[in-house]
Amino acid sequence: MSSQVDSLALLSQIQRKSLAVGLVMSVVSAWCAFAVPGQFYPAYLVAFLFFWSISMGCFALSCLHHITGGGWGVAIRRTLETGASKLPLLALLFVPVLFGLPRLYLWARPSAVASDVILQHKSAYLNVGFFQVRAGIYFAAWILFASTINRMSAKCDLEPSIERRESLAYMSSVGLIVWALTTTFASIDWTMSLDPHWVSGIHGVITMAGQSVAGTAFVILTITLLSGYAPIARVLNASRLHDLGNFLMALVLFWAYTSFTQYLVIWSGNLPEETPWYLIRGRGGWQIVMLLLVGLHFIVPFLLLLNRSVKRKPRQLAAVALLLLAMRIVDLYWQVMPTFSPGGFQFNWVVLCTIPAVGGLWLAGFARRLPAFASVIVDDPHSEESHHHAHA
Amino acid sequence: MTTATQLYGLLAQYDEPEALRAAASQAYAHGYRRMEAYSPFPVESLATALGHPRSRLPILTLVGGVLGGVSGYGMLYYASVISYPMNVGGRPLHSWPSFIPITFELTILGAALFTVFGMLALSGLPMPYHALFNVPEFKRASRDQFFLCIQSIDPQFDINQTAAFLKECRALAVHEVPR
């Protein structure tokens, strides 16, 4: 019982500290928004996309677990649901992006559109009003599904029944379809349209892969941090960690596979409207970031996760998860920033303010919400299996 | 009563996976090493209870994957750079991005073939004759019964003592397995 109290104390400490960091950095970021708006808005977009992708990854994985079941999800289900429950906060955190549309997106600048025939043709979709409506629709769908599924899942614990479980699985499968469609369109709107001449059919899938990596890595970090404390300690053991490690490895492979496919298709096509996206991201120092992604977002974590012992030791698995979370930021930075410095790599120092700002607020909300859910499910058909593993 | 040399081993029968696992742990603790368990479905951690060493199969899978990948890339390099160089769209002959999909697929193929055939080889399959099938009850190992066999080649094996030991381990029945 005392360790339960310890974990609550730890979470409330995290909540207080990250709220303080988030608020202070928000003030600094707000100052940046007025002092250096050209730097601020891309930096803010990177920070927003990163924490958005964690929440979305958590949402998708929780849906997946509700559909497939399996002992792997029992220890992490509440953490996933808590991550997904931060989507209303993210809707609020999206507002600053709306203020910066002309600074972020070429198609939102009337002067640029006037001199560009392609942008004129695309303006039926890429215009400020429709962009805002679409963002509203995405957030409405995510919040609706995340809150409904979380509520149904909590009900399943309180009054378990087969009908409840089946309707939860049904709602989750609809949720996954909605997730795939909305993420595809959101990625077209928010990142692909940064270079409005560029098109890539697989970009949405890469975004989904990135979200899943971010969500899984974040959940692994959270539960290893809480692994010494009461509710998690009871269900977490080497073979559960092994499952999550395998999951993370599969997702890293999925990310690498889709990312390389995009590169291969554009490289073989060799078309003038597609290749510039890679050309500006592969020169002037950006190629080092690209190689960093290949090495540290794919090769190194892949080789580490091939090791059985790495996947079974909480500290080592947490270290790989931390590396991957850091590389998620680098990946988003590499997707967004070259648009604003196509001539060569420049470090946008404002990310050092916007990431702690968005992250502090997000993490404070997360730590506040986590204990409100009972962190581990008491009465779950898979819970039995998970506990059983602990003694095996 | 047959003598120990004519026997393959002694086969203990159980009707619960838990009982089989408990018996395997007890037999291991008692010093028996040359033994094997048979069940209609995988029983969690039974291999650990039997004291089986970690399988060498993952190493074979890795070797197969590496061989497949290297030979895939090598084949493409040989075909498009050495044996039949052809200018395609002005690209270099050694255009590595277009080699990756086939390299990847041959990596998977190599790993899969080594895994399947490695599994067969490490398990000594195909095996047209096995002494265990001399016990009529053994057929139920693929239906609803669980078996633990202590082989006569185990240094600790003694027909009377081992049979008594297996009965102590709450076996429903202990069968002699003729060679």
Side-chain angles (χ1 to χ4, degrees):
Chain A
M1 209 56 220
S2 70
S3 55
Q4 171 98 52
V5 177
D6 288 347
S7 87
L8 288 180
L10 178 71
L11 283 172
S12 80
Q13 198 184 2
I14 291 174
Q15 185 198 333
R16 262 180 289 122
K17 282 187 178 157
S18 42
L19 187 65
V21 170
L23 288 177
V24 170
M25 285 318 214
S26 296
V27 174
V28 180
S29 298
W31 175 79
C32 291
F34 291 102
V36 280
Q39 307 254 55
F40 168 79
Y41 284 105
Y44 187 83
L45 186 64
V46 169
F48 167 80
L49 288 173
F50 176 64
F51 289 97
W52 167 73
S53 72
I54 296 179
S55 274
M56 291 293 282
C58 287
F59 170 67
L61 290 170
S62 74
C63 286
L64 192 66
H65 181 250
H66 293 322
I67 298 169
T68 64
W72 59 271
V74 176
I76 60 169
R77 201 166 98 186
R78 285 302 183 238
T79 318
L80 292 173
E81 288 170 359
T82 310
S85 76
K86 292 299 108 196
L87 281 161
L89 173 67
L90 285 159
L92 211 61
L93 289 169
F94 187 67
V95 172
V97 175
L98 295 175
F99 286 105
L101 291 184
R103 289 195 183 273
L104 285 169
Y105 301 104
L106 200 63
W107 52 261
R109 275 172 240 161
S111 59
V113 177
S115 61
D116 190 326
V117 182
I118 296 178
L119 289 190
Q120 286 162 24
H121 283 300
K122 291 190 177 185
S123 66
Y125 184 84
L126 290 179
N127 63 70
V128 173
F130 194 24
F131 179 95
Q132 289 166 340
V133 170
R134 286 196 305 272
I137 293 172
Y138 305 148
F139 276 110
W142 298 330
I143 292 167
L144 181 72
F145 274 94
S147 61
T148 308
I149 289 169
N150 284 358
R151 211 170 36 243
M152 289 171 79
S153 164
K155 259 242 168 82
C156 273
D157 293 346
L158 294 175
E159 306 156 47
S161 75
I162 293 180
E163 293 76 35
R164 280 226 163 81
R165 197 143 279 293
E166 277 174 353
S167 58
L168 175 62
Y170 179 79
M171 187 58 95
S172 300
S173 41
V174 179
L176 266 190
I177 295 169
V178 168
W179 169 70
L181 290 173
T182 49
T183 302
T184 302
F185 279 95
S187 75
I188 291 171
D189 289 5
W190 301 348
T191 47
M192 199 198 287
S193 82
L194 285 166
D195 297 77
H197 288 189
W198 178 61
V199 284
S200 166
I202 205 172
H203 189 257
V205 182
I206 298 174
T207 306
M208 283 181 241
Q211 289 178 350
S212 312
V213 171
T216 310
F218 177 77
V219 161
I220 288 174
L221 270 184
T222 310
I223 61 161
T224 47
L225 186 69
L226 296 176
S227 63
Y229 302 112
I232 302 274
R234 210 177 59 239
V235 287
L236 192 71
N237 55 61
S239 61
R240 283 287 85 95
L241 269 182
H242 195 156
D243 292 344
L244 294 176
N246 278 335
F247 214 59
L248 190 61
M249 178 169 76
L251 290 169
V252 164
L253 274 178
F254 182 51
W255 174 86
Y257 184 84
T258 51
S259 301
F260 179 75
T261 304
Q262 174 175 283
Y263 178 78
L264 181 67
V265 167
I266 289 175
W267 175 87
S268 340
N270 207 12
L271 296 171
E273 65 267 31
E274 289 177 351
T275 47
W277 196 84
Y278 277 108
L279 290 176
I280 62 166
R281 280 164 182 77
R283 67 173 179 224
W286 288 115
Q287 73 273 30
I288 294 167
V289 183
M290 201 176 183
L291 289 174
L292 206 67
L293 282 172
V294 175
L296 297 181
H297 199 314
F298 170 50
I299 296 172
V300 170
F302 173 68
L303 292 178
L304 286 174
L305 289 172
L306 272 183
N307 263 308
R308 180 186 155 93
S309 64
V310 172
K311 285 180 282 199
R312 298 179 81 90
K313 293 196 182 97
R315 273 173 175 278
Q316 296 183 4
L317 188 62
V320 178
L322 192 64
L323 170 73
L324 280 168
L325 273 184
M327 293 321 288
R328 286 308 310 142
I329 297 181
V330 175
D331 186 26
L332 290 168
Y333 190 95
W334 177 76
Q335 285 185 37
V336 171
M337 290 301 175
T339 305
F340 303 95
S341 59
F345 177 80
Q346 274 174 335
F347 186 65
N348 184 341
W349 56 270
V350 184
V351 291
L352 300 180
C353 307
T354 55
I355 291 173
V358 177
L361 297 177
W362 187 90
L363 199 59
F366 177 85
R368 185 185 151 83
R369 189 69 186 267
L370 190 56
F373 290 137
S375 296
V376 172
I377 298 91
V378 187
D379 190 13
D380 183 292
H382 307 297
S383 188
E384 190 76 8
E385 187 193 332
S386 202
H387 288 228
H388 187 72
H389 264 286
H391 307 299
Chain B
M1 182 63 89
T2 41
T3 62
T5 47
Q6 288 168 298
L7 276 188
Y8 172 77
L10 284 169
L11 185 66
Q13 183 175 354
Y14 299 89
D15 60 357
E16 288 284 339
E18 282 301 329
L20 172 63
R21 178 161 46 198
S25 306
Q26 270 175 282
Y28 187 82
H30 202 263
Y32 290 112
R33 292 295 177 269
R34 304 302 299 257
M35 54 183 172
E36 185 59 276
Y38 305 88
S39 69
F41 53 82
V43 176
E44 183 79 35
S45 73
L46 183 57
T48 330
L50 286 169
H52 279 188
R54 284 258 313 277
S55 166
R56 282 168 295 165
L57 196 55
I59 305 286
L60 278 179
T61 307
L62 182 69
V63 170
V66 170
L67 279 180
V70 169
S71 62
Y73 200 95
M75 180 181 76
L76 287 162
Y77 186 86
Y78 174 76
S80 36
V81 180
I82 299 165
S83 152
Y84 203 84
M86 189 159 59
N87 184 334
V88 180
R91 293 196 177 86
L93 292 174
H94 181 209
S95 287
W96 67 267
S98 58
F99 294 0
I100 296 292
I102 290 178
T103 305
F104 174 73
E105 273 152 31
L106 284 182
T107 305
I108 304 293
L109 181 68
L113 289 177
F114 267 62
T115 307
V116 172
F117 289 104
M119 179 271 289
L120 292 177
L122 291 179
S123 328
L125 293 172
M127 191 182 290
Y129 173 82
H130 197 288
L132 277 167
F133 292 96
N134 294 331
V135 180
E137 277 296 287
F138 187 66
K139 281 193 191 111
R140 294 179 69 184
S142 56
R143 262 202 330 265
D144 60 348
Q145 296 285 293
F146 302 82
F147 293 91
L148 178 70
C149 179
I150 298 181
Q151 295 163 15
S152 59
I153 46 173
D154 192 287
Q156 294 236 26
F157 187 85
D158 175 277
I159 186 157
N160 297 321
Q161 282 178 18
T162 306
F165 170 76
L166 285 171
K167 287 206 180 91
E168 261 172 50
C169 297
R170 295 184 310 168
L172 298 179
V174 178
H175 310 277
E176 291 184 353
V177 187
R179 276 190 196 278

